[in-house]
């Protein structure tokens, strides 16, 4: 398979390195598998210019972008920009017009596409993700969901594949992305690469998510988060929360869904799990005592939430 890795100015250094390292490691290890070796990847780094600069200023020499036209897979590593407003401005800027066209044309040819972290914003801006399921960096999920409403966002997923487009989570999700791409050719080879590179199998970003960081994007959601944290040991009523915050329960529900893609009750559960995990890590309290400190009379409901959200 010919794989074109599209390097743009400001590409995330460890992102492009992770993709290239995994693919080249797969090529180096493929003959160690029993039986016939899977075919090697023909890996090309392409760009809209013949020389680009990474986010940390390193020079990357590229092949012409037309090399991607006959590729069996086009991979877009993340951009270094971390500020949400600046990221949205960057992916929509005239300077990214050529990159957006390359991605859109690849989609029209039904070329499989892949990206991770902030790169998924450029996919979405190109219209590639319309009508599909995708994931992105968990902390950028509220911004993504607000701007790209035709995309079904699943931010707890580490990797999501939908109709030939594979997306992955935050920065080091590039490793998971690249291993998923290798597994598409040979699951055994991907497992071998995972062992050599010492990469854990991570199906979810949930264990890394900081609920408060996501809530800060919207004032009402942030206020609701503070309200819950101040009463986390108590039985909570969403109707009481809405009244105290000066909005209707319906408004609170709709704002939560639009910003975080979850209900107020689900946010309460997430905050309780987050606090419970902190107590389990930092104290010797038994689970029953931890459960009472986060609003549950018995440990059963907390245990179920921990299993559901954290495995």
């Amino acid at each position: 398979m010919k794989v074109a890795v599209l390097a743009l100015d400001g590409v995330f250094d460890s992102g492009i390195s992770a993709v290239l390292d995994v693919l080249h490691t797969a090529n180096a290890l493929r003959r160690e598998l029993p039986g016939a070796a899977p075919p090697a990847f023909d890996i090309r780094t392409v760009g809209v210019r013949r020389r680009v600069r990474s986010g940390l200023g390193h020079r990357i020499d590229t092949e012409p972008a037309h090399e991607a036209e006959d590729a069996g897979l086009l991979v877009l590593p993340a951009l270094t920009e971390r500020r949400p407003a600046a990221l949205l401005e960057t992916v929509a800027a005239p300077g990214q017009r050529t990159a957006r066209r390359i991605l859109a044309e690849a989609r029209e040819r039904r070329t499989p596409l892949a990206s991770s972290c902030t790169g998924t914003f450029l996919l979405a801006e190109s219209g590639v993700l319309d009508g599909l399921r995708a994931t992105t960096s968990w902390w950028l999920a509220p911004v993504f969901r607000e701007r790209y409403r035709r995309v079904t966002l699943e931010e707890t997923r580490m990797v999501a594949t939908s109709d030939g487009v594979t997306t992955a989570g935050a920065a080091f999700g590039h490793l998971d992305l690249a291993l998923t791409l290798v597994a598409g050719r040979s699951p055994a080879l991907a497992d071998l690469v995972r062992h050599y590179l010492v990469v854990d199998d991570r199906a979810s970003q949930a264990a890394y998510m900081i609920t408060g960081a996501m809530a800060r994007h919207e004032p009402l959601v942030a206020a609701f988060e503070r309200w819950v944290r101040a009463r986390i040991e108590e039985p909570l009523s969403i109707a009481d929360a809405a009244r105290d915050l000066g909005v209707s329960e319906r408004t609170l529900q709709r704002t939560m869904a639009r910003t975080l893609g979850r209900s107020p009750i689900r946010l309460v559960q997430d905050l309780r799990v987050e606090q419970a995990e902190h107590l389990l890590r930092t104290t010797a309290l038994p689970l029953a005592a931890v459960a009472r400190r986060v609003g549950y009379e018995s440990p059963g409901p907390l245990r179920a939430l921990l299993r559901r959200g954290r495995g």
Side-chain angles (χ1 to χ4, degrees):
M1 177 192 291
K2 180 177 177 180
V3 180
V5 179
L6 179 58
L8 303 175
D9 277 320
V11 64
F12 193 73
D13 291 68
S14 63
I16 189 170
S17 296
V19 170
L20 294 173
D21 282 342
V22 167
L23 295 177
H24 282 286
T25 300
N27 280 350
L29 296 177
R30 65 191 183 90
R31 297 192 185 281
E32 294 193 16
L33 295 175
F41 292 100
D42 175 12
I43 307 160
R44 311 288 183 88
T45 302
V46 305
V48 298
R49 293 203 303 274
R50 296 302 299 272
R51 180 176 296 169
V52 300
R53 291 282 179 181
S54 73
L56 295 179
H58 294 112
R59 189 185 76 182
I60 301 174
D61 293 326
T62 68
E63 298 182 48
H66 65 71
E67 288 287 344
E69 294 177 4
D70 63 345
L73 172 66
L74 177 59
V75 184
L76 174 69
L79 301 172
T80 301
E81 182 58 68
R82 298 174 178 86
R83 298 166 297 168
L87 175 61
L88 293 177
E89 184 178 336
T90 295
V91 298
Q96 298 292 2
R97 186 178 293 116
T98 301
R100 293 195 298 268
R101 176 180 55 78
I102 291 169
L103 295 168
E105 290 177 353
R107 180 62 178 166
E108 289 176 5
R109 294 192 300 270
R110 303 300 295 177
T111 300
L113 296 167
S115 189
S116 187
C117 191
T118 55
T120 60
F121 279 71
L122 191 53
L123 286 187
E125 193 70 28
S126 306
V128 164
L129 295 178
D130 287 356
L132 303 184
R133 292 178 294 103
T135 189
T136 191
S137 299
W138 63 262
W139 51 279
L140 289 170
V143 183
F144 188 103
R145 183 176 282 108
E146 182 176 305
R147 184 173 181 93
Y148 305 114
R149 300 189 179 184
R150 299 185 65 183
V151 184
T152 300
L153 187 65
E154 300 177 345
E155 69 268 26
T156 61
R157 298 281 296 275
M158 188 65 77
V159 179
T161 299
S162 181
D163 193 25
V165 182
T166 303
T167 51
F172 287 97
H174 285 86
L175 286 168
D176 306 86
L177 176 72
L179 285 164
T180 298
L181 300 177
V182 174
R185 300 295 299 279
S186 170
L189 180 55
D191 194 51
L192 186 62
V193 172
R194 188 184 298 278
H195 279 79
Y196 268 83
L197 296 183
V198 195
V199 181
D200 292 334
D201 188 4
R202 306 174 296 177
S204 175
Q205 296 187 83
Y208 307 92
M209 295 171 71
I210 303 171
T211 304
M214 299 173 67
R216 284 195 293 269
H217 176 70
E218 211 289 334
L220 177 57
V221 177
F224 177 64
E225 183 224 358
R226 292 192 298 271
W227 187 92
V228 173
R229 287 190 187 278
R231 301 162 176 80
I232 203 160
E233 297 185 19
E234 308 169 10
L236 298 179
S237 162
I238 302 305
D240 289 347
R243 185 190 64 245
D244 289 351
L245 296 173
V247 297
S248 69
E249 192 171 347
R250 178 176 174 81
T251 295
L252 180 59
Q253 296 270 4
R254 293 177 64 178
T255 305
M256 287 288 304
R258 185 182 70 248
T259 305
L260 298 184
R262 66 192 71 179
S263 67
I265 288 293
R266 180 63 185 272
L267 181 63
V268 171
Q269 293 172 342
D270 289 346
L271 291 171
R272 284 176 164 164
V273 166
E274 183 181 284
Q275 178 65 10
E277 287 185 322
H278 171 73
L279 292 171
L280 289 169
R281 283 196 306 267
T282 59
T283 74
L285 291 172
L287 187 62
V290 169
R292 288 192 294 272
R293 289 201 180 189
V294 297
Y296 295 108
E297 293 183 358
S298 66
L302 177 59
R303 185 180 289 112
L305 289 172
L306 287 166
R307 286 175 176 163
R308 184 188 73 185
R310 304 295 194 253

